[in-house]
Amino acid sequence: MSPLLELRGLTAHYGDFQALFGVDLALEEGRTLAVIGANGAGKTTLMRAITGIARVSGGSAALAGARIDRMAAPDILRAGIAMVPEGRRLFPSLSVEENLRIGAHARRGNGFWTLARIYELFPVLRDRRLQPATALSGGQQQMVAIGRALMSNPRVLLCDELSLGLAPVVIREIYAAFPTIRDSGAAIVVVEQDISQALKVADAVHCMMEGRITLSGPPASLSREAIHDAYFGVR
Ligand code: ATP
């Protein structure tokens, strides 16, 4: 059987600049994959290529065996791949609940996630549901961004730099939602610059440098030295 998400030799360009070089990746249902790497390694480009926002220039991407790499971004979302973008990108003039409802526009069937379930996952959002999204703290806004992505009932949830700019206690609170998200049947990809956070949540880690995956494996199999070399280049 095909993996839920499978990339083979994926490449992406910005004009003449090549940002991804032959990325291979396989992700099964209910699993969490972490992609780590320094600034500019290509992590965001990888997320954008999977979701159809960045154009794929070569190789293939498939969801449950069906090619998605030539599909338009809205169709990829409807097929079941949702992204929590870096910087959250909420609609500032809309309330928390209106932001969440926007995620339901591309909803896949009668899935697990409803407003009520999002509020069970992040109870603080129920209390603040009528407030403008920008009135919330950074961590609460991140919860809205996750909730909005879940409202489409994704099979794969891509999270770009969830912990950026948040206090450790808030990061823990956000990652505490992950088991419930996995139990809903979704697979998760987290992009993180925070390596220790990535190692804690992931079943498998891919380290990227200069558009290539330089190291992969389950967290327990990767030594600190190997990660350092793959992240920064060999000393
Ligand atoms: P960060 O942690 O800073 O987001 P990243 O690992 O996500 O880094 P990308 O943002 O994917 O890296 O960038 C990969 C490479 O592509 C970098 O060299 C970057 O300068 C380049 N790049 C990214 N976006 C564009 C763009 N819109 N146009 C041209 N080059 C870009």
Side-chain angles (χ1 to χ4, degrees):
M1 217 174 72
S2 329
L4 181 55
L5 177 68
E6 186 171 35
L7 311 183
R8 286 200 190 158
L10 202 77
T11 66
H13 289 72
Y14 295 106
D16 290 339
F17 177 78
Q18 186 162 3
L20 295 180
F21 295 80
V23 172
D24 295 323
L25 178 158
L27 179 65
E28 307 289 346
E29 198 174 301
R31 310 292 282 177
T32 301
L33 172 74
V35 180
I36 60 175
N39 270 337
K43 308 178 299 294
T44 297
T45 303
L46 180 61
M47 302 292 100
R48 292 166 65 88
I50 295 170
T51 51
I53 300 169
R55 200 177 63 81
V56 169
S57 51
S60 67
L63 180 68
R67 289 282 290 268
I68 56 167
D69 48 84
R70 295 285 176 266
M71 280 166 60
D75 296 330
I76 295 177
L77 175 60
R78 260 181 228 104
I81 301 184
M83 178 154 73
V84 183
E86 189 174 351
R88 309 186 271 269
R89 299 183 183 242
L90 301 179
F91 294 93
S93 61
L94 299 186
S95 69
V96 166
E97 188 153 306
E98 286 165 336
N99 268 283
L100 292 174
R101 284 189 190 281
I102 281 176
H105 284 304
R107 203 172 165 73
R108 222 171 37 85
N110 289 323
F112 177 82
W113 292 104
T114 57
L115 266 182
R117 289 220 165 96
I118 302 292
Y119 291 147
E120 264 169 49
L121 188 68
F122 299 122
V124 67
L125 299 188
R126 188 199 307 271
D127 302 337
R128 312 203 64 173
R129 67 185 183 282
L130 302 179
Q131 298 185 2
T134 44
L136 274 59
S137 70
Q140 291 165 351
Q141 290 189 30
Q142 193 61 278
M143 292 172 192
V144 178
I146 295 169
R148 180 181 58 186
L150 289 175
M151 284 295 282
S152 68
N153 274 315
R155 303 181 76 179
V156 179
L157 180 70
L158 308 177
C159 302
D160 199 356
E161 305 270 8
L162 288 183
S163 37
L164 207 65
L166 300 179
V169 60
V170 180
I171 297 171
R172 274 200 297 279
E173 204 181 334
I174 286 172
Y175 274 103
F178 271 42
T180 311
I181 298 172
R182 274 196 305 263
D183 290 349
S184 78
I188 304 173
V189 181
V190 294
V191 162
E192 275 293 351
Q193 278 187 47
D194 180 338
I195 300 177
S196 59
Q197 187 57 51
L199 296 179
K200 260 185 245 160
V201 299
D203 306 300
V205 177
H206 284 351
C207 186
M208 287 187 78
M209 194 178 63
E210 294 174 357
R212 294 180 169 84
I213 293 181
T214 45
L215 181 72
S216 16
S221 74
L222 307 177
S223 71
R224 270 176 186 281
E225 290 72 27
I227 292 175
H228 181 283
D229 291 350
Y231 196 99
F232 296 110
V234 177
R235 285 160 286 180

